Amino acid sequence: MTVSPTSLPAPAVSRQRVRARWALVALPLVLLAAVVFAVGTGAVHISPAQVVSILLAPLGVPALAAYEEQQAAVLHAIRLPRVVLGLLVGAGLAVAGTAMQGLFRNPLADPGLLGISSGAGLAAAMSVVLGIHLFGTYTLPVMAFLGSVVSTAVIYALAQERGQMNVATMLLAGIAVNALCGAGTGLMTYLATDEQLRSITFWQLGSLGGATWPAVLSAAPLLLVGVLGLPLLARALNALTLGESNAAHLGIPVTAVKWAVVGLVALSVGAGVAVAGTIGFVGLVVPHLMRLLTGPNHATLLPASALAGATLLVLADLLARTIVMPSELPIGIVTALLGAPFFLYLLRQGRKGGRL
């Protein structure tokens, strides 16, 4: 269970507010440093001063350091779209995870519970194996997004109870949809050729390797709707930590809030999965760490999670593309290696506290 911000002693609340303010000051600086480091690291080395010079050159700012045209081309065409996409996807997944944990009032909740990622994975596998090319080079991400929308719509329909959304029913429906989509993806994998199997497997493990400016521009509006929209529901999510009946007594339109949260989560995760594949544990690890740092107040927790999630995915992608150069490790493996032990730690702590 998450802790209500009003249930703590006054000194503890005061300390949390101070930490939250410092976190919101420090996290943007950490993200900026991670971006500069990530776009400068690779086969073609670009120093931080050169990175800043290249980025500020279009504004007419004098260069801090001399650089070659090849370095500028690599930064603008290859590394910068990849880092920007990682930033957006990481922020979207982290904010979605934070909102899900607030909605379910459980720190173990994750966007994957809704079956969004598995629906996208099934649709992507079908497009590869069945040879669907309706949208040209964008067929795979478009099919993945449509799959996430369909799976979310199915869960919406199953979760309705007398015109209201039952969160427990939604959780069970998500588990069922995950199982069905997993079976469908397994069937597609069985029917795939060797070449198709490699494509499906690499996509399901997650990668930012296909990042281009058109892909960034197509996903950015959808991801930003979730990243900027969910913090607007911070007060309602705070009230929901007290229970649905208490939130209703405080004047919160509980059913509308639940629909809004689930819709924005589906939009963020669906868009992220469509362009980057399945990347797990970001929506689980980041919100919990930020809750320990800033406290449970969603007004600060959601922005902090967005900044931390963006930083985590930028650095994870940097590790994925440099640790086995000239090859590339799927980013989903890196996040899973980080997230799975942390998930086990949460389970252990929850059992000690009698919450699980």
Side-chain angles (χ1 to χ4, degrees), residues 15-353:
R15 288 194 298 271
Q16 282 186 347
R17 287 175 178 171
V18 172
R19 287 203 305 267
R21 283 196 291 267
W22 277 109
L24 292 179
V25 171
L27 285 171
L29 299 178
V30 174
L31 175 59
L32 180 61
V35 168
V36 171
F37 182 61
V39 297
T41 303
V44 177
H45 178 70
I46 308 174
S47 70
Q50 289 174 321
V51 169
V52 174
S53 299
I54 293 170
L55 293 178
L56 296 181
L59 302 178
V61 178
L64 300 176
Y67 59 87
E68 299 176 1
E69 288 301 318
Q70 181 193 20
Q71 292 175 310
V74 168
L75 188 147
H76 284 299
I78 300 175
R79 292 189 191 160
L80 194 57
R82 181 168 183 152
V83 169
V84 171
L85 186 62
L87 186 153
L88 290 171
V89 173
L93 292 176
V95 168
T98 305
M100 287 292 293
Q101 291 175 12
L103 180 65
F104 285 99
R105 301 189 294 279
N106 192 314
L108 299 181
D110 180 82
L113 290 175
L114 289 182
I116 302 169
S117 299
S118 59
L122 173 59
M126 290 176 63
S127 71
V128 172
V129 175
L130 301 180
I132 300 174
H133 302 291
L134 295 175
F135 306 99
T137 56
Y138 295 101
T139 296
L140 186 62
V142 169
M143 288 292 293
F145 183 71
L146 291 177
S148 69
V149 170
V150 170
S151 64
T152 304
V154 170
I155 295 170
Y156 274 1
L158 294 174
Q160 288 192 83
E161 195 172 291
R162 298 194 181 111
Q164 295 186 339
M165 185 176 70
N166 188 307
V167 174
T169 304
M170 173 172 285
L171 175 60
L172 295 174
I175 293 172
V177 169
N178 268 320
L180 285 172
C181 291
T185 303
L187 178 61
M188 292 297 106
T189 302
Y190 174 76
L191 297 174
T193 63
D194 289 344
E195 183 180 351
Q196 292 171 338
L197 186 59
R198 282 193 294 272
S199 177
I200 293 172
T201 302
F202 195 78
W203 188 86
Q204 287 180 336
L205 291 174
S207 174
L208 298 175
T212 59
W213 284 118
V216 172
L217 295 176
S218 66
L222 301 176
L223 289 164
L224 288 174
V225 167
V227 171
L228 300 178
L230 284 168
L232 300 178
L233 301 173
R235 178 176 172 271
L237 288 170
N238 285 340
L240 283 173
T241 61
L242 303 173
E244 292 184 12
S245 58
N246 288 330
H249 288 148
L250 293 173
I252 302 298
V254 175
T255 300
V257 168
K258 288 192 289 187
W259 282 108
V261 169
V262 173
L264 290 172
V265 167
L267 197 63
S268 297
V269 177
V273 171
V275 293
T278 305
I279 301 174
F281 291 104
V282 175
L284 172 69
V285 173
V286 172
H288 192 78
L289 289 176
M290 291 302 101
R291 191 176 288 107
L292 294 175
L293 177 64
T294 68
N297 185 355
H298 287 86
T300 52
L301 179 59
L302 285 163
S305 295
L307 292 168
T311 304
L312 173 64
L313 205 60
V314 167
L315 294 177
D317 179 60
L318 173 63
L319 182 63
R321 65 182 170 85
T322 57
I323 195 170
V324 290
M325 282 200 305
S327 185
E328 181 177 321
L329 193 68
I331 192 172
I333 293 178
V334 177
T335 58
L337 288 173
L338 294 173
F342 190 80
F343 185 79
L344 295 175
Y345 165 77
L346 288 183
L347 287 175
R348 182 176 176 82
Q349 292 300 109
R351 291 176 70 90
K352 284 182 177 180

